[in-house]
Amino acid sequence: HREVIMAGSMQPIPGLEVIAVIANNKPQPSTTNTAQKATKFGARYSMGPHTFWAQIEDVDSNSTFAVVTSVGITTATKGELKYNWFGYSLKAGNNTFVAQYANSGREAAGVPDQDVTFLSLAVLHSLSKNTTLHAGYRKTEVEVGTTTTEQTVFAGGLRVNF
């Protein structure tokens, strides 16, 4: 059963949106799982053609859990997961340029620490009101204990809204 302690979103000044969520996941009496606490803070600020965003998340758990993010699936056992995401976009004419950086770290009992670093760059070009051409690059590096793996992706496409 999930208990939300605090959740809120506000716009303290024009162009700035701030969110905060603190939640407890209390186990049912019939299970062996124990409590999990998640804290998340985020902000997005837009000024003319510029938009900046950030999100910071911390999850503490005394049971096995999985966190699914756009970086991948991270599983922790009785431990802590920290997740940070930062981004920027620039709108210039029919083009939008986007840069994002994320990192997450897992520390858990009985398993090697895990760190994930993610960088992406993209450009979107509006051909019309309903059609967008896009291209992107992503590099992900995953360190588990002393082993490091990297993945690089180039992508492109055309999106048509009907």
Side-chain angles (χ1 to χ4, degrees), residues 100-120:
Q100 299 181 99
Y101 171 82
N103 70 331
S104 67
R106 177 196 72 195
E107 295 177 2
V111 295
D113 290 351
Q114 176 179 337
D115 292 306
V116 178
T117 303
F118 167 95
L119 172 69
S120 70

Side-chain angles (χ1 to χ4, degrees), residues 98 118-123 135-140 151-155:
V98 181
F118 167 95
L119 172 69
S120 70
L121 303 170
V123 62
Y137 163 82
R138 179 188 60 133
K139 181 175 183 180
T140 305
Q151 181 184 46
T152 302
V153 177
F154 292 93

Side-chain angles (χ1 to χ4, degrees), residues 37-136:
K37 182 178 181 181
T39 307
K40 181 186 292 192
F41 297 101
R44 179 176 60 203
Y45 181 68
S46 296
M47 179 178 58
H50 306 278
T51 301
F52 303 87
W53 59 90
Q55 179 174 308
I56 298 169
E57 187 170 351
D58 186 36
V59 178
D60 289 315
S61 178
N62 288 324
S63 61
T64 301
F65 64 97
V67 176
V68 181
T69 68
S70 44
V71 176
I73 298 175
T74 303
T75 303
T77 306
K78 296 183 180 182
E80 180 176 34
L81 176 75
K82 293 187 180 293
Y83 179 70
N84 304 300
W85 190 283
F86 305 96
Y88 169 76
S89 70
L90 169 67
K91 177 92 171 126
N94 288 348
N95 299 308
T96 301
F97 302 93
V98 181
Q100 299 181 99
Y101 171 82
N103 70 331
S104 67
R106 177 196 72 195
E107 295 177 2
V111 295
D113 290 351
Q114 176 179 337
D115 292 306
V116 178
T117 303
F118 167 95
L119 172 69
S120 70
L121 303 170
V123 62
L124 295 87
H125 178 74
S126 242
L127 297 171
S128 71
K129 182 178 175 183
N130 296 319
T131 307
T132 305
L133 183 64
H134 55 89

